[in-house]
Amino acid sequence: MSPPFLLLDFDGVVCDTERAALLAWQDLYDRLGVPLSPDVRARMLGNSAGARVALADLADRLGRPVGDDEWLWQRRRRTVRCGVAPARPGVERLLRTAEGAAIVSSGAAGWVEEHLRRLGLRRYFDFLVTGDDTERHKPAPDLYLLALERAGVGAGDALAVEDSPRGVEAARAAGLRCVAVPWEPALAPGLAGADAVLPSLDGLDLRRYQRNEV
């Protein structure tokens, strides 16, 4: 039996960019002298609309919308923080044991390529499927369905690795087995739809998810 073809989300799974992006929001809150409350932080976690949550909260707290200069400053902080974000623990070990792997991300291709090359991980991936490739993104299954087509394997011969409820939902809708590795422990309760929830990729043993070969 062979290891499954790996389909890895990028932000928060391969690279710790989700944490870096949240820290950039914390930087803006600090700059504006407004505390980032635990409630708002929790609503931002794993939420593709997290920026809107933060902007609405800041507008309410400041009594005015966030200015263009402040927004640009936050985006620059995000670029700086993400530019030094490390790979998640266990990523390279896992990729070395795989017999095929691809990125499946709603992010832009340029973003993913830039960070994979910075981390020295691009060589491990057969191909990338990104938000540039399909009209619908996660939680729709389109990205995963396209990845299966490009890999030439069935859903039973692949394994998705995600970090968010939207990603798990997308993988499941594509018929895939899915392991969740949340970058933030508070995300774990929303990942019940995954086959397993692990604290890091160091705990993922591909021998438990062999291909369904005849």
Side-chain angles (χ1 to χ4, degrees), residues 11-212:
D11 293 295
V13 171
V14 172
C15 187
D16 217 0
T17 43
E18 293 283 9
R19 190 188 319 275
L22 184 61
L23 287 172
W25 279 109
Q26 180 68 67
D27 291 340
L28 180 60
Y29 271 79
D30 292 344
R31 180 182 174 88
L32 296 174
V34 177
L36 175 56
S37 72
D39 174 66
V40 171
R41 185 180 187 279
R43 286 190 285 125
M44 292 173 70
L45 288 176
N47 183 357
S48 61
R52 289 199 291 272
V53 172
L55 290 171
D57 177 59
L58 284 169
D60 183 61
R61 306 281 291 281
L62 295 169
R64 62 169 176 81
V66 171
D68 290 343
D69 288 346
E70 293 160 341
W71 172 243
L72 180 60
W73 186 88
Q74 193 277 340
R75 303 312 289 169
R76 287 173 175 163
R77 287 300 298 161
R78 177 178 181 268
T79 299
V80 168
R81 284 196 174 275
C82 289
V84 294
R88 288 288 311 279
V91 167
E92 191 157 13
R93 176 204 63 80
L94 179 66
L95 290 170
R96 285 173 178 164
T97 66
E99 291 188 4
I103 289 289
V104 182
S105 170
S106 293
W111 170 267
V112 177
E113 285 274 10
E114 174 187 349
H115 288 288
L116 285 177
R117 296 190 187 285
R118 174 178 66 82
L119 296 168
L121 298 176
R122 181 61 182 88
R123 66 187 185 276
Y124 291 111
F125 294 98
D126 297 55
F127 58 86
L128 313 180
V129 174
T130 70
D132 297 341
D133 294 314
T134 65
E135 184 174 339
R136 296 195 307 167
H137 298 167
K138 301 170 186 177
D142 302 38
L143 290 164
Y144 276 114
L145 293 173
L146 179 58
L148 289 172
E149 180 182 336
R150 288 186 181 176
V153 301
D157 296 326
L159 177 69
V161 184
E162 282 285 352
D163 69 314
S164 71
R166 291 170 65 87
V168 172
E169 183 179 345
R172 289 309 226 173
L176 286 157
R177 296 169 295 175
C178 182
V179 171
V181 187
W183 57 271
E184 167 76 35
L187 288 167
L191 301 171
D195 291 273
V197 179
L198 305 175
S200 82
L201 291 173
D202 281 323
L204 178 52
D205 183 354
L206 293 182
R207 291 174 297 182
R208 296 185 57 190
Y209 301 94
Q210 300 293 330
R211 297 193 186 201
N212 292 339

